[in-house]
Amino acid sequence: MGAYFYFHVETKRSGRWCIPSDFQGEDSSSPRSFTWIAGRSNIQSLFFGKHATFPFRHTLPCDRTSSDFFQYLDSFYNYELDEYKVSWLPYEELLVDYWDEAALIVTGQVTAKHATLFGDGSPSFPHQELLKAGWGKYEIDELREGSVTNTSVNWSYGKGYYELRKLSPDETVNVTWTEIISSYLKEWHVQAFRELRKYGSDAELRVISTYS
């Protein structure tokens, strides 16, 4: 059974961080999440890892004693072992209003014979070009869920082009493309994050992640 990153929400009321009733667990069970991402999915690199666009904080918040979620964890959790990889981020820092326009650099691997389809590493994902090259839908979807990076790979001209000519056509190489954040994250995740605003203003919300 695979592991998942679960996302939970707290909203600030009268100086205390509270779990909205929609996400309160029953009978002292774990607070419910509003969305989740498979641990094996590269989408999680948007929030975790050295190239994260919205890096979650792997520390305890200074106001932990006024947080329902962290008080729940305090009742049983070993923070030193940190089995759940607990992290958090103020909602404001997610910049959700820009997700439909801001672009990411995403990386994946293809064989050298297809590397030039990605140009200088900055165009959008070459979906149609890959179809024409004989790729199937599943292969394309799997490749498109690449991981976030901060450096483009250029195979179309200059040093990269000449290096590519020396490789075997079936040798694997890294390629990059640009992807709008909302497209990369997928519609149902985007909607889940944006709908949190019904529980408070951006400044009154924060997101907590656990892994299990």
Side-chain angles (χ1 to χ4, degrees):
M1 186 174 180
Y4 294 82
F5 287 98
Y6 293 93
F7 295 88
H8 312 265
V9 62
E10 282 190 318
T11 182
K12 200 165 192 178
R13 293 286 182 267
S14 302
R16 183 168 187 85
W17 289 99
C18 306
I19 301 167
S21 58
D22 290 357
F23 302 108
Q24 289 177 346
E26 298 178 0
D27 301 323
S28 299
S29 62
S30 174
R32 295 171 50 241
S33 61
F34 66 86
T35 194
W36 57 90
I37 296 173
R40 66 180 180 277
S41 170
N42 285 324
I43 292 175
Q44 55 88 12
S45 66
L46 189 62
F47 306 108
F48 312 106
K50 64 180 181 179
H51 296 307
T53 306
F54 308 107
F56 272 56
R57 299 173 186 174
H58 200 85
T59 58
L60 293 174
C62 60
D63 54 4
R64 157 187 166 195
T65 57
S66 61
S67 159
D68 286 352
F69 193 97
F70 282 96
Q71 286 297 287
Y72 161 76
L73 287 178
D74 285 352
S75 67
F76 70 94
Y77 192 60
N78 187 326
Y79 290 102
E80 290 187 7
L81 292 178
D82 198 25
E83 183 180 2
Y84 292 169
K85 302 180 181 178
V86 178
S87 59
W88 63 282
L89 191 70
Y91 186 82
E92 291 175 305
E93 295 185 19
L94 289 167
L95 304 175
V96 296
D97 289 330
Y98 298 95
W99 285 4
D100 289 332
E101 51 190 85
L104 305 165
I105 301 174
V106 184
T107 184
Q109 292 188 327
V110 302
T111 53
K113 61 188 174 187
H114 293 132
T116 55
L117 297 179
F118 293 80
D120 65 1
S122 62
S124 58
F125 187 79
H127 185 97
Q128 293 301 319
E129 290 83 352
L130 289 169
L131 284 174
K132 291 177 182 178
W135 284 54
K137 182 181 183 302
Y138 176 80
E139 292 177 289
I140 292 174
D141 290 345
E142 187 175 40
L143 173 63
R144 190 162 191 169
E145 195 178 291
S147 55
V148 177
T149 185
N150 57 10
T151 306
S152 297
V153 179
N154 177 11
W155 295 115
S156 64
Y157 59 84
K159 180 180 178 182
Y161 176 77
Y162 289 104
E163 289 180 350
L164 190 64
R165 294 178 64 185
K166 299 175 184 177
L167 300 178
S168 163
D170 294 321
E171 189 166 343
T172 301
V173 297
N174 291 324
V175 293
T176 58
W177 61 93
T178 57
E179 192 85 62
I180 299 301
I181 291 176
S182 58
S183 175
Y184 180 72
L185 188 53
K186 312 301 182 189
E187 183 178 351
W188 71 289
H189 291 308
V190 172
Q191 183 177 355
F193 275 96
R194 287 178 171 165
E195 285 183 348
L196 295 179
R197 282 173 161 165
K198 67 185 178 184
Y199 302 109
S201 68
D202 289 10
E204 295 171 330
L205 297 168
R206 71 178 173 195
V207 177
I208 300 166
S209 172
T210 58
Y211 180 81
S212 61

Short mmCIF file of all heavy atoms in Angstrom, two decimals, residues 147-195:
data_model
loop_
_atom_site.label_atom_id
_atom_site.label_comp_id
_atom_site.label_asym_id
_atom_site.label_seq_id
_atom_site.Cartn_x
_atom_site.Cartn_y
_atom_site.Cartn_z
N SER A 147 9.31 16.19 -12.38
CA SER A 147 9.58 16.87 -11.11
C SER A 147 10.03 18.31 -11.37
O SER A 147 10.59 18.63 -12.42
CB SER A 147 10.64 16.12 -10.30
OG SER A 147 11.82 15.94 -11.05
N VAL A 148 9.77 19.16 -10.40
CA VAL A 148 10.12 20.58 -10.51
C VAL A 148 11.63 20.74 -10.39
O VAL A 148 12.29 20.10 -9.58
CB VAL A 148 9.42 21.39 -9.40
CG1 VAL A 148 9.83 22.85 -9.47
CG2 VAL A 148 7.91 21.25 -9.52
N THR A 149 12.18 21.59 -11.23
CA THR A 149 13.61 21.89 -11.17
C THR A 149 13.79 23.40 -11.35
O THR A 149 12.81 24.14 -11.50
CB THR A 149 14.37 21.11 -12.26
OG1 THR A 149 15.78 21.33 -12.12
CG2 THR A 149 13.95 21.53 -13.67
N ASN A 150 15.02 23.86 -11.35
CA ASN A 150 15.26 25.30 -11.52
C ASN A 150 16.17 25.62 -12.70
O ASN A 150 16.55 26.77 -12.89
CB ASN A 150 15.82 25.92 -10.23
CG ASN A 150 17.10 25.26 -9.77
OD1 ASN A 150 17.70 24.46 -10.49
ND2 ASN A 150 17.53 25.58 -8.55
N THR A 151 16.52 24.62 -13.50
CA THR A 151 17.44 24.83 -14.62
C THR A 151 16.93 24.13 -15.87
O THR A 151 16.63 22.94 -15.84
CB THR A 151 18.85 24.29 -14.29
OG1 THR A 151 19.31 24.86 -13.07
CG2 THR A 151 19.83 24.62 -15.41
N SER A 152 16.84 24.86 -16.96
CA SER A 152 16.41 24.27 -18.23
C SER A 152 17.55 23.48 -18.87
O SER A 152 18.73 23.78 -18.64
CB SER A 152 15.97 25.37 -19.21
OG SER A 152 14.85 26.06 -18.71
N VAL A 153 17.18 22.47 -19.66
CA VAL A 153 18.16 21.67 -20.41
C VAL A 153 17.96 21.93 -21.90
O VAL A 153 16.86 21.72 -22.43
CB VAL A 153 17.99 20.16 -20.12
CG1 VAL A 153 18.99 19.35 -20.93
CG2 VAL A 153 18.14 19.88 -18.63
N ASN A 154 18.98 22.40 -22.55
CA ASN A 154 18.89 22.78 -23.96
C ASN A 154 19.60 21.75 -24.84
O ASN A 154 20.82 21.62 -24.79
CB ASN A 154 19.53 24.16 -24.15
CG ASN A 154 19.54 24.60 -25.61
OD1 ASN A 154 18.90 23.99 -26.46
ND2 ASN A 154 20.25 25.68 -25.89
N TRP A 155 18.82 21.02 -25.66
CA TRP A 155 19.40 20.06 -26.61
C TRP A 155 19.25 20.53 -28.06
O TRP A 155 19.64 19.82 -28.98
CB TRP A 155 18.69 18.71 -26.48
CG TRP A 155 18.88 17.99 -25.18
CD1 TRP A 155 17.92 17.71 -24.26
CD2 TRP A 155 20.10 17.45 -24.66
NE1 TRP A 155 18.45 17.03 -23.20
CE2 TRP A 155 19.80 16.85 -23.40
CE3 TRP A 155 21.42 17.41 -25.11
CZ2 TRP A 155 20.75 16.21 -22.61
CZ3 TRP A 155 22.37 16.78 -24.32
CH2 TRP A 155 22.04 16.19 -23.09
N SER A 156 18.70 21.70 -28.27
CA SER A 156 18.36 22.09 -29.64
C SER A 156 19.46 22.82 -30.39
O SER A 156 19.47 22.86 -31.62
CB SER A 156 17.09 22.96 -29.62
OG SER A 156 17.33 24.17 -28.92
N TYR A 157 20.40 23.42 -29.70
CA TYR A 157 21.49 24.11 -30.38
C TYR A 157 22.66 24.28 -29.41
O TYR A 157 22.55 24.01 -28.22
CB TYR A 157 21.04 25.48 -30.90
CG TYR A 157 20.52 26.43 -29.86
CD1 TYR A 157 21.37 27.22 -29.10
CD2 TYR A 157 19.14 26.52 -29.63
CE1 TYR A 157 20.89 28.08 -28.15
CE2 TYR A 157 18.65 27.39 -28.67
CZ TYR A 157 19.52 28.17 -27.93
OH TYR A 157 19.03 29.02 -26.98
N GLY A 158 23.80 24.72 -29.94
CA GLY A 158 24.97 24.97 -29.12
C GLY A 158 25.58 23.68 -28.57
O GLY A 158 25.49 22.61 -29.18
N LYS A 159 26.17 23.77 -27.39
CA LYS A 159 26.89 22.65 -26.79
C LYS A 159 25.99 21.42 -26.62
O LYS A 159 26.40 20.30 -26.90
CB LYS A 159 27.45 23.08 -25.43
CG LYS A 159 28.23 21.99 -24.72
CD LYS A 159 28.75 22.49 -23.37
CE LYS A 159 29.48 21.38 -22.63
NZ LYS A 159 29.96 21.84 -21.29
N GLY A 160 24.75 21.65 -26.16
CA GLY A 160 23.84 20.53 -25.96
C GLY A 160 23.56 19.77 -27.24
O GLY A 160 23.52 18.53 -27.24
N TYR A 161 23.37 20.48 -28.32
CA TYR A 161 23.09 19.84 -29.61
C TYR A 161 24.24 18.93 -30.05
O TYR A 161 24.02 17.80 -30.49
CB TYR A 161 22.83 20.91 -30.67
CG TYR A 161 22.63 20.36 -32.06
CD1 TYR A 161 21.43 19.77 -32.42
CD2 TYR A 161 23.65 20.43 -33.00
CE1 TYR A 161 21.24 19.25 -33.69
CE2 TYR A 161 23.48 19.92 -34.28
CZ TYR A 161 22.27 19.34 -34.62
OH TYR A 161 22.10 18.83 -35.88
N TYR A 162 25.46 19.42 -29.90
CA TYR A 162 26.62 18.62 -30.33
C TYR A 162 26.87 17.44 -29.39
O TYR A 162 27.30 16.37 -29.83
CB TYR A 162 27.85 19.53 -30.43
CG TYR A 162 27.75 20.47 -31.60
CD1 TYR A 162 27.45 21.81 -31.42
CD2 TYR A 162 27.92 19.99 -32.91
CE1 TYR A 162 27.32 22.68 -32.51
CE2 TYR A 162 27.78 20.85 -34.00
CZ TYR A 162 27.48 22.19 -33.79
OH TYR A 162 27.35 23.02 -34.87
N GLU A 163 26.60 17.62 -28.12
CA GLU A 163 26.72 16.50 -27.18
C GLU A 163 25.69 15.42 -27.49
O GLU A 163 25.97 14.22 -27.40
CB GLU A 163 26.54 16.99 -25.74
CG GLU A 163 27.71 17.81 -25.22
CD GLU A 163 27.49 18.26 -23.79
OE1 GLU A 163 26.36 18.09 -23.27
OE2 GLU A 163 28.44 18.79 -23.19
N LEU A 164 24.49 15.83 -27.87
CA LEU A 164 23.42 14.89 -28.17
C LEU A 164 23.77 14.01 -29.37
O LEU A 164 23.44 12.82 -29.40
CB LEU A 164 22.12 15.67 -28.44
CG LEU A 164 20.83 14.85 -28.55
CD1 LEU A 164 20.53 14.18 -27.22
CD2 LEU A 164 19.67 15.76 -28.97
N ARG A 165 24.46 14.58 -30.35
CA ARG A 165 24.82 13.84 -31.56
C ARG A 165 25.80 12.70 -31.26
O ARG A 165 25.89 11.74 -32.03
CB ARG A 165 25.43 14.80 -32.59
CG ARG A 165 24.44 15.83 -33.11
CD ARG A 165 25.09 16.79 -34.07
NE ARG A 165 25.56 16.13 -35.29
CZ ARG A 165 26.24 16.74 -36.23
NH1 ARG A 165 26.56 18.02 -36.12
NH2 ARG A 165 26.62 16.08 -37.31
N LYS A 166 26.50 12.79 -30.13
CA LYS A 166 27.47 11.76 -29.78
C LYS A 166 26.82 10.58 -29.04
O LYS A 166 27.45 9.54 -28.85
CB LYS A 166 28.57 12.35 -28.89
CG LYS A 166 29.36 13.48 -29.54
CD LYS A 166 30.35 14.08 -28.54
CE LYS A 166 31.08 15.27 -29.14
NZ LYS A 166 32.00 15.89 -28.14
N LEU A 167 25.58 10.76 -28.63
CA LEU A 167 24.91 9.73 -27.83
C LEU A 167 24.19 8.71 -28.70
O LEU A 167 23.79 9.01 -29.83
CB LEU A 167 23.89 10.39 -26.89
CG LEU A 167 24.42 11.41 -25.88
CD1 LEU A 167 23.27 11.99 -25.08
CD2 LEU A 167 25.45 10.77 -24.96
N SER A 168 24.01 7.53 -28.16
CA SER A 168 23.18 6.51 -28.82
C SER A 168 21.74 7.01 -28.82
O SER A 168 21.29 7.62 -27.84
CB SER A 168 23.28 5.20 -28.05
OG SER A 168 22.23 4.34 -28.41
N PRO A 169 20.98 6.78 -29.90
CA PRO A 169 19.59 7.24 -29.96
C PRO A 169 18.73 6.74 -28.81
O PRO A 169 17.74 7.40 -28.44
CB PRO A 169 19.09 6.68 -31.30
CG PRO A 169 20.33 6.52 -32.12
CD PRO A 169 21.39 6.11 -31.16
N ASP A 170 19.07 5.59 -28.25
CA ASP A 170 18.27 5.01 -27.18
C ASP A 170 18.81 5.30 -25.79
O ASP A 170 18.28 4.79 -24.80
CB ASP A 170 18.15 3.49 -27.37
CG ASP A 170 17.36 3.13 -28.62
OD1 ASP A 170 16.36 3.83 -28.90
OD2 ASP A 170 17.74 2.17 -29.32
N GLU A 171 19.83 6.14 -25.71
CA GLU A 171 20.36 6.52 -24.40
C GLU A 171 19.42 7.52 -23.74
O GLU A 171 18.85 8.39 -24.40
CB GLU A 171 21.76 7.13 -24.55
CG GLU A 171 22.47 7.36 -23.24
CD GLU A 171 23.95 7.64 -23.43
OE1 GLU A 171 24.49 7.35 -24.52
OE2 GLU A 171 24.56 8.16 -22.48
N THR A 172 19.23 7.39 -22.44
CA THR A 172 18.30 8.25 -21.70
C THR A 172 18.95 9.57 -21.31
O THR A 172 20.08 9.59 -20.82
CB THR A 172 17.79 7.53 -20.43
OG1 THR A 172 17.15 6.31 -20.81
CG2 THR A 172 16.80 8.39 -19.68
N VAL A 173 18.22 10.66 -21.52
CA VAL A 173 18.71 12.00 -21.15
C VAL A 173 17.60 12.77 -20.44
O VAL A 173 16.42 12.47 -20.58
CB VAL A 173 19.17 12.79 -22.40
CG1 VAL A 173 20.34 12.11 -23.08
CG2 VAL A 173 18.02 13.01 -23.37
N ASN A 174 18.01 13.79 -19.70
CA ASN A 174 17.04 14.67 -19.05
C ASN A 174 16.58 15.74 -20.02
O ASN A 174 17.38 16.26 -20.81
CB ASN A 174 17.68 15.35 -17.83
CG ASN A 174 17.95 14.40 -16.69
OD1 ASN A 174 17.17 13.47 -16.46
ND2 ASN A 174 19.04 14.61 -15.98
N VAL A 175 15.30 16.06 -19.96
CA VAL A 175 14.74 17.16 -20.75
C VAL A 175 13.91 18.03 -19.81
O VAL A 175 13.53 17.62 -18.72
CB VAL A 175 13.86 16.65 -21.90
CG1 VAL A 175 14.70 15.91 -22.93
CG2 VAL A 175 12.74 15.74 -21.39
N THR A 176 13.61 19.25 -20.24
CA THR A 176 12.77 20.14 -19.44
C THR A 176 11.74 20.82 -20.34
O THR A 176 11.89 20.91 -21.56
CB THR A 176 13.60 21.22 -18.72
OG1 THR A 176 14.34 21.99 -19.70
CG2 THR A 176 14.56 20.61 -17.72
N TRP A 177 10.69 21.32 -19.71
CA TRP A 177 9.65 22.09 -20.37
C TRP A 177 9.00 22.99 -19.33
O TRP A 177 9.27 22.86 -18.13
CB TRP A 177 8.61 21.17 -21.02
CG TRP A 177 7.87 20.28 -20.05
CD1 TRP A 177 6.69 20.53 -19.41
CD2 TRP A 177 8.29 18.99 -19.59
NE1 TRP A 177 6.33 19.48 -18.60
CE2 TRP A 177 7.30 18.52 -18.69
CE3 TRP A 177 9.40 18.17 -19.85
CZ2 TRP A 177 7.39 17.28 -18.05
CZ3 TRP A 177 9.50 16.94 -19.21
CH2 TRP A 177 8.50 16.50 -18.32
N THR A 178 8.18 23.92 -19.75
CA THR A 178 7.48 24.79 -18.80
C THR A 178 6.02 24.34 -18.67
O THR A 178 5.41 23.87 -19.63
CB THR A 178 7.51 26.26 -19.23
OG1 THR A 178 6.95 26.41 -20.53
CG2 THR A 178 8.94 26.79 -19.22
N GLU A 179 5.51 24.48 -17.46
CA GLU A 179 4.15 24.04 -17.16
C GLU A 179 3.52 25.05 -16.21
O GLU A 179 4.13 25.44 -15.21
CB GLU A 179 4.20 22.66 -16.50
CG GLU A 179 2.87 21.95 -16.38
CD GLU A 179 2.53 21.17 -17.65
OE1 GLU A 179 3.26 20.25 -18.01
OE2 GLU A 179 1.49 21.51 -18.25
N ILE A 180 2.30 25.51 -16.53
CA ILE A 180 1.58 26.39 -15.63
C ILE A 180 1.29 25.63 -14.33
O ILE A 180 0.95 24.45 -14.36
CB ILE A 180 0.26 26.88 -16.29
CG1 ILE A 180 0.57 27.67 -17.57
CG2 ILE A 180 -0.54 27.74 -15.32
CD1 ILE A 180 1.42 28.89 -17.36
N ILE A 181 1.40 26.30 -13.20
CA ILE A 181 1.24 25.64 -11.91
C ILE A 181 -0.07 24.88 -11.81
O ILE A 181 -0.11 23.72 -11.40
CB ILE A 181 1.36 26.64 -10.75
CG1 ILE A 181 2.81 27.15 -10.64
CG2 ILE A 181 0.93 26.01 -9.42
CD1 ILE A 181 3.01 28.23 -9.59
N SER A 182 -1.18 25.51 -12.19
CA SER A 182 -2.48 24.86 -12.05
C SER A 182 -2.59 23.62 -12.93
O SER A 182 -3.25 22.64 -12.56
CB SER A 182 -3.62 25.83 -12.37
OG SER A 182 -3.48 26.36 -13.68
N SER A 183 -1.94 23.62 -14.08
CA SER A 183 -1.94 22.45 -14.95
C SER A 183 -1.11 21.33 -14.35
O SER A 183 -1.49 20.16 -14.39
CB SER A 183 -1.40 22.84 -16.33
OG SER A 183 -1.27 21.70 -17.16
N TYR A 184 0.03 21.69 -13.79
CA TYR A 184 0.91 20.69 -13.18
C TYR A 184 0.28 20.05 -11.95
O TYR A 184 0.34 18.84 -11.74
CB TYR A 184 2.23 21.36 -12.81
CG TYR A 184 3.24 20.43 -12.17
CD1 TYR A 184 3.90 19.46 -12.92
CD2 TYR A 184 3.54 20.53 -10.81
CE1 TYR A 184 4.83 18.60 -12.34
CE2 TYR A 184 4.48 19.68 -10.22
CZ TYR A 184 5.11 18.72 -10.99
OH TYR A 184 6.03 17.88 -10.41
N LEU A 185 -0.38 20.87 -11.13
CA LEU A 185 -0.94 20.39 -9.87
C LEU A 185 -2.21 19.58 -10.05
O LEU A 185 -2.57 18.80 -9.18
CB LEU A 185 -1.20 21.59 -8.95
CG LEU A 185 -1.60 21.33 -7.51
CD1 LEU A 185 -0.62 20.40 -6.81
CD2 LEU A 185 -1.72 22.64 -6.75
N LYS A 186 -2.90 19.74 -11.17
CA LYS A 186 -4.15 19.06 -11.50
C LYS A 186 -5.34 19.82 -10.90
O LYS A 186 -5.28 20.34 -9.79
CB LYS A 186 -4.20 17.60 -11.05
CG LYS A 186 -2.98 16.78 -11.40
CD LYS A 186 -2.70 16.72 -12.89
CE LYS A 186 -1.49 15.84 -13.18
NZ LYS A 186 -1.05 15.91 -14.58
N GLU A 187 -6.44 19.82 -11.65
CA GLU A 187 -7.61 20.64 -11.33
C GLU A 187 -8.19 20.36 -9.95
O GLU A 187 -8.54 21.27 -9.20
CB GLU A 187 -8.68 20.46 -12.40
CG GLU A 187 -9.91 21.33 -12.18
CD GLU A 187 -10.95 21.15 -13.27
OE1 GLU A 187 -10.65 20.48 -14.27
OE2 GLU A 187 -12.06 21.68 -13.10
N TRP A 188 -8.31 19.08 -9.57
CA TRP A 188 -9.00 18.79 -8.31
C TRP A 188 -8.17 19.22 -7.11
O TRP A 188 -8.72 19.63 -6.08
CB TRP A 188 -9.40 17.33 -8.24
CG TRP A 188 -8.30 16.32 -8.06
CD1 TRP A 188 -7.36 15.95 -8.97
CD2 TRP A 188 -8.03 15.54 -6.88
NE1 TRP A 188 -6.53 14.99 -8.45
CE2 TRP A 188 -6.92 14.71 -7.17
CE3 TRP A 188 -8.63 15.45 -5.63
CZ2 TRP A 188 -6.38 13.82 -6.25
CZ3 TRP A 188 -8.10 14.55 -4.70
CH2 TRP A 188 -6.99 13.76 -5.02
N HIS A 189 -6.83 19.19 -7.24
CA HIS A 189 -5.99 19.70 -6.16
C HIS A 189 -6.11 21.23 -6.07
O HIS A 189 -6.23 21.79 -4.98
CB HIS A 189 -4.53 19.34 -6.38
CG HIS A 189 -4.23 17.88 -6.23
ND1 HIS A 189 -4.59 17.16 -5.13
CD2 HIS A 189 -3.59 17.01 -7.04
CE1 HIS A 189 -4.19 15.91 -5.25
NE2 HIS A 189 -3.58 15.79 -6.42
N VAL A 190 -6.08 21.89 -7.22
CA VAL A 190 -6.19 23.35 -7.26
C VAL A 190 -7.49 23.79 -6.61
O VAL A 190 -7.52 24.71 -5.77
CB VAL A 190 -6.10 23.86 -8.71
CG1 VAL A 190 -6.41 25.35 -8.77
CG2 VAL A 190 -4.73 23.57 -9.30
N GLN A 191 -8.58 23.15 -6.97
CA GLN A 191 -9.88 23.49 -6.42
C GLN A 191 -9.91 23.29 -4.90
O GLN A 191 -10.45 24.12 -4.17
CB GLN A 191 -10.97 22.64 -7.08
CG GLN A 191 -12.38 22.98 -6.61
CD GLN A 191 -13.42 22.16 -7.34
OE1 GLN A 191 -13.12 21.40 -8.25
NE2 GLN A 191 -14.67 22.33 -6.94
N ALA A 192 -9.31 22.19 -4.44
CA ALA A 192 -9.30 21.91 -2.99
C ALA A 192 -8.57 23.00 -2.22
O ALA A 192 -9.02 23.42 -1.14
CB ALA A 192 -8.66 20.55 -2.74
N PHE A 193 -7.43 23.47 -2.75
CA PHE A 193 -6.68 24.52 -2.07
C PHE A 193 -7.45 25.84 -2.10
O PHE A 193 -7.49 26.56 -1.10
CB PHE A 193 -5.31 24.70 -2.72
CG PHE A 193 -4.26 23.76 -2.20
CD1 PHE A 193 -3.98 22.57 -2.85
CD2 PHE A 193 -3.55 24.06 -1.05
CE1 PHE A 193 -3.01 21.69 -2.37
CE2 PHE A 193 -2.57 23.20 -0.55
CZ PHE A 193 -2.30 22.01 -1.22
N ARG A 194 -8.06 26.17 -3.23
CA ARG A 194 -8.76 27.45 -3.34
C ARG A 194 -10.04 27.49 -2.51
O ARG A 194 -10.42 28.55 -2.00
CB ARG A 194 -9.06 27.73 -4.82
CG ARG A 194 -7.81 28.13 -5.59
CD ARG A 194 -8.09 28.37 -7.05
NE ARG A 194 -6.91 28.95 -7.71
CZ ARG A 194 -6.75 29.01 -9.02
NH1 ARG A 194 -7.71 28.55 -9.83
NH2 ARG A 194 -5.67 29.55 -9.54
N GLU A 195 -10.68 26.36 -2.34
CA GLU A 195 -11.91 26.32 -1.57
C GLU A 195 -11.68 26.54 -0.08
O GLU A 195 -12.63 26.79 0.66
CB GLU A 195 -12.63 24.98 -1.80
CG GLU A 195 -13.32 24.89 -3.14
CD GLU A 195 -14.10 23.60 -3.33
OE1 GLU A 195 -13.93 22.67 -2.50
OE2 GLU A 195 -14.87 23.52 -4.30
#
